[in-house]
Amino acid sequence: MADDGVLIGFSDHIESLRLDRANRHGLVAGATGTGKTVTLQALAQGLSDAGVPVFAADVKGDLCGIAAAGTPNEKMLARAKVMNLEMRPAAAPVVFWDLFGEQGHPIRATVSEMGPLLISRMLELNDVQEGVLTVVFRAADEEGLLLLDLKDLQAALTYTSDNAKALGAKYGNVSAATVATIQRKLLTLEDQGGANLFGEPALQLSDLMRTDGSGRGYVNILAANKLIASPRLYATFLLWLMSELFEELPEVGDPEKPRLVFFFDEAHLLFRDAPKPLLEKVEQVVRLIRSKGVGVYFVTQNPADIPETVLGQLGNRIQHALRAYTPVEQRGLRAAADSFRTNPAFDTADAIQALGVGEALVSMLDEKGAPTVVQKTLIRPPNSRLGPLTPAERAAVMAQSPVRGLYDEAQDRESAFEKLAARTAAAAEAAAAPVQQRRAQPTPAPWGEEPAPARRPTARASNRQSMGETFAKQLLRTVASTAGREIMRGLMGGLKRSRR
């Protein structure tokens, strides 16, 4: 680590990220194969050494090597020698997370926490469908129905469809056909593994902001090599996490070092085809989360992937090589060059195209918060391993995890699905009761004849009762506290949760 921050590399002087400016956000950009992941790994480990927790997605599956000490090869040693840098192989403290629970601790959110806006984004709903989904959430709130997982949301959609006329009179037109469309899209989301995201125990943000016994920040790595196959789910989850940090953390202004640094890899997925209201929300979160002590760093191929309103808030910039063969790529290259403070010693656009692997143009914020003049920089090699862990090594890290046992087993308390199922079963039993009573009454015999023996209930009636009882027994779960009817929602429409 540099004296005043995190060592990035060397130009004609040391290039470092100041800790007291690390919450001013940043950008790591460059074409595939130019060294973005190595830069991300070096930054994450440097921040960890400084006591700053980090959250990053491992899209390609090799960032997990930060959990093991590196073995410098000849190329890395030669680069370190040029920098006059002493290599000290070391691992960072790591917690592994995985939405699918395969390569890390399961990471979940409740449907209510996610909210209708982000779920609409995830399902690619149009404005009308989003409006109906908002009605579903409102109706569930007023009925005291907890929406925790996808079966709760499906049950609430069915309830809305069955009561479309009454709800439509209160909230506006609710079409059963629109509800059916949303239900079909939920099935598609389940097929993509989306059901793994929703449920309990839900993630507590404090578990992402831990330090180890020596004061180093934990590097939280989300296994995303499988998740990235569902790009809308990946982007929506990370956006939810960022918005939750904004909602829950108190204001701290500009701290001496960030409380958490959040790396958003494949950032273009967040902004691609995003509607204007969502872009405005993202811009607002990025602009205001700085004062919560959180730095957000977008990792993408081209700065043109980031909207101008967001790009203008990213003060710390590392630009790896770009290639420009088409008119669109040339415009992106020019935009990347124009985003830097000019260095009279070279043409920025030409320099970006001429960079080698492990080289970058770097401009960090100085002590006054102003961007420094862009410099050609040789990026330092990380002290941890370049490459993935073996399954045995990952298992060993998981066994020492500070959150081991907190999230590994799913919970399923009473919520909308169970309550609505119980109502259905009770209504079915109430409707069947008068029929049973009538059938139980003996029919008066004609004068002079013996009364006919009482008829047993028909097999059909018996089956109805048995099915109702079985349905109720199977669906009723452990009873827990019920959410209030009026629920406050945050900036992204998510539920403000109670703390554990």
Side-chain angles (χ1 to χ4, degrees):
M1 189 175 73
D3 293 338
D4 58 347
V6 176
L7 174 63
I8 296 174
F10 293 83
S11 53
D12 55 357
H13 59 273
I14 294 176
E15 295 288 346
S16 62
L17 169 65
R18 292 181 61 95
L19 290 175
D20 59 355
R21 295 292 178 265
N23 68 321
R24 300 293 183 95
H25 310 321
L27 174 70
V28 180
T32 300
T34 56
K36 295 194 301 297
T37 301
V38 175
T39 298
L40 172 56
Q41 187 166 330
L43 280 174
Q45 188 162 12
L47 288 163
S48 171
D49 290 342
V52 179
V54 171
F55 183 92
D58 188 6
V59 172
K60 292 185 290 186
D62 53 1
L63 184 59
C64 62
I66 196 173
T71 304
N73 56 32
E74 292 183 4
K75 184 181 294 185
M76 293 171 64
L77 291 172
R79 181 184 297 186
K81 185 176 181 180
V82 170
M83 299 178 179
N84 197 26
L85 175 67
E86 181 181 356
M87 294 292 293
R88 298 178 180 176
V94 170
V95 177
F96 289 116
W97 303 91
D98 184 359
L99 260 67
F100 303 99
E102 298 171 356
Q103 301 180 70
H105 301 291
I107 187 167
R108 305 180 187 90
T110 67
V111 169
S112 288
E113 287 170 347
M114 189 70 70
L117 176 62
L118 290 183
I119 292 179
S120 296
R121 161 74 168 166
M122 192 182 302
L123 299 177
E124 302 182 66
L125 302 184
N126 59 32
D127 291 343
V128 173
Q129 294 160 352
E130 181 182 334
V132 170
L133 187 62
T134 302
V135 171
V136 172
F137 273 74
R138 176 65 64 85
D141 286 350
E142 294 187 352
E143 289 288 329
L145 301 173
L146 288 174
L147 300 179
L148 302 180
D149 51 29
L150 285 190
K151 72 178 188 300
D152 289 328
L153 183 54
Q154 286 280 20
L157 284 162
T158 301
Y159 170 83
T160 303
S161 180
D162 292 343
N163 297 273
K165 186 174 181 180
L167 292 173
K170 187 173 183 180
Y171 300 113
N173 183 44
V174 176
S175 167
T178 301
V179 172
T181 300
I182 299 173
Q183 289 177 313
R184 287 194 297 272
K185 294 197 174 189
L186 276 179
L187 290 176
T188 302
L189 179 63
E190 287 188 66
D191 291 341
Q192 296 175 350
N196 296 281
L197 170 59
F198 297 104
E200 290 187 315
L203 176 68
Q204 297 292 316
L205 296 182
S206 58
D207 287 330
L208 299 181
M209 305 172 69
R210 293 174 177 264
T211 55
D212 69 1
S214 61
R216 295 180 300 168
Y218 273 96
V219 180
N220 298 275
I221 296 181
L222 175 68
N225 51 333
K226 181 178 178 181
L227 178 61
I228 200 66
S230 303
R232 190 62 65 97
L233 177 61
Y234 167 80
T236 305
F237 167 73
L238 291 186
L239 177 56
W240 166 79
L241 185 56
M242 190 166 64
S243 65
E244 284 291 287
L245 289 167
F246 170 76
E247 289 289 341
E248 288 202 16
L249 296 179
E251 297 276 346
V252 294
D254 283 322
E256 293 183 359
K257 60 184 180 182
R259 303 172 68 180
L260 177 73
V261 170
F262 183 99
F263 288 97
F264 201 132
D265 201 1
E266 299 293 339
H268 66 282
L269 297 176
L270 173 62
F271 303 104
R272 187 174 64 190
D273 301 325
K276 185 177 179 181
L278 182 61
L279 289 177
E280 291 173 350
K281 297 290 187 183
V282 174
E283 178 189 352
Q284 185 179 5
V285 170
V286 173
R287 184 174 68 253
L288 299 177
I289 201 173
R290 174 185 65 80
S291 63
K292 306 296 183 83
V294 177
V296 180
Y297 287 69
F298 293 99
V299 183
T300 190
Q301 292 196 17
N302 196 311
D305 297 333
I306 312 295
E308 287 291 338
T309 52
V310 176
L311 190 63
Q313 301 176 50
L314 311 182
N316 300 294
R317 300 194 180 189
I318 301 175
Q319 177 67 62
H320 288 273
L322 283 177
R323 308 294 179 246
Y325 302 114
T326 68
V328 173
E329 291 173 338
Q330 290 170 4
R331 288 194 294 272
L333 173 65
R334 177 51 58 187
D338 291 343
S339 66
F340 286 104
R341 183 177 170 187
T342 304
N343 187 329
F346 57 84
D347 181 89
T348 306
D350 291 342
I352 291 175
Q353 297 181 83
L355 291 169
V357 176
E359 297 177 334
L361 297 187
V362 174
S363 175
M364 298 287 113
L365 296 179
D366 61 20
E367 66 279 2
K368 296 181 180 179
T372 59
V373 171
V374 63
Q375 298 286 350
K376 295 179 183 178
T377 303
L378 195 60
I379 302 299
R380 63 152 301 170
N383 291 323
S384 50
R385 179 189 299 175
L386 290 177
L389 298 182
T390 65
E393 289 172 327
R394 184 184 288 268
V397 173
M398 292 278 293
Q400 301 298 319
S401 170
V403 297
R404 183 165 58 95
L406 294 181
Y407 298 97
D408 298 335
E409 294 296 329
Q411 299 172 3
D412 191 9
R413 59 180 168 134
E414 185 184 57
S415 50
F417 177 75
E418 288 79 10
K419 285 193 172 185
L420 291 172
R423 289 185 192 179
T424 301
E429 289 182 2
V435 176
Q436 297 292 342
Q437 291 174 1
R438 289 196 301 270
R439 287 174 175 167
Q441 293 291 337
T443 304
W447 184 82
E449 294 184 10
E450 292 295 329
R455 295 171 58 189
R456 294 181 180 179
T458 63
R460 187 175 180 184
S462 176
N463 287 341
R464 285 181 178 173
Q465 184 178 18
S466 175
M467 288 174 62
E469 290 175 349
T470 303
F471 186 57
K473 289 177 181 178
Q474 288 178 341
L475 296 179
L476 289 176
R477 302 282 199 274
T478 304
V479 178
S481 59
T482 304
R485 290 179 178 273
E486 294 298 326
I487 297 178
M488 296 179 63
R489 297 194 180 276
L491 184 66
M492 288 293 180
L495 174 69
K496 291 186 177 179
R497 75 178 78 156
S498 58
R499 296 183 183 273
R500 188 164 58 199

